[in-house]
Amino acid sequence: MSVTTVPYFRQAVQPFIDQKLVAIVLDFEGVTKIVSRGVGAAIDMAVQAKKQGGKLRLENVGKYGRSLYIQGVHLVAEVPELEGFEP
């Protein structure tokens, strides 16, 4: 997720949040890059989902796990790969 693709990420996820779905799963398999703005967008989407009574779950975060952990994504979204993670 680059600076130029973050708006597309938001546009793709927002309709699911607006539908007040109970759970939204984002599969990061195949993602080759995540900039800090992308992590911020994921956090924002997770907070919005939570406010609507839902939750955001990130799967297959792979090598981005440490970065996502440090930036606190696991505090607002479910990230199974980060359960028990210690940097």
Side-chain angles (χ1 to χ4, degrees):
M1 207 178 333
S2 69
V3 173
T4 57
T5 61
V6 168
Y8 299 111
F9 167 73
R10 288 181 177 276
Q11 287 175 356
V13 176
Q14 191 64 51
F16 298 107
I17 292 171
D18 293 342
Q19 291 176 36
K20 299 181 181 181
L21 297 177
V22 175
I24 301 167
V25 178
L26 301 178
D27 188 347
F28 278 68
E29 186 174 343
V31 172
T32 58
K33 177 181 179 181
I34 302 176
V35 296
S36 61
R37 187 174 288 177
V39 174
I43 290 172
D44 182 50
M45 299 282 102
V47 169
Q48 286 186 48
K50 200 174 244 187
K51 285 181 182 177
Q52 299 283 1
K55 63 183 173 184
L56 189 69
R57 180 181 174 108
L58 309 181
E59 294 188 347
N60 297 312
V61 296
K63 64 183 178 181
Y64 302 108
R66 180 178 173 81
S67 176
L68 293 171
Y69 182 88
I70 290 169
Q71 295 184 56
V73 172
H74 65 290
L75 300 174
V76 292
E78 287 186 10
V79 188
E81 290 174 73
L82 296 183
E83 291 177 15
F85 180 82
E86 293 185 30

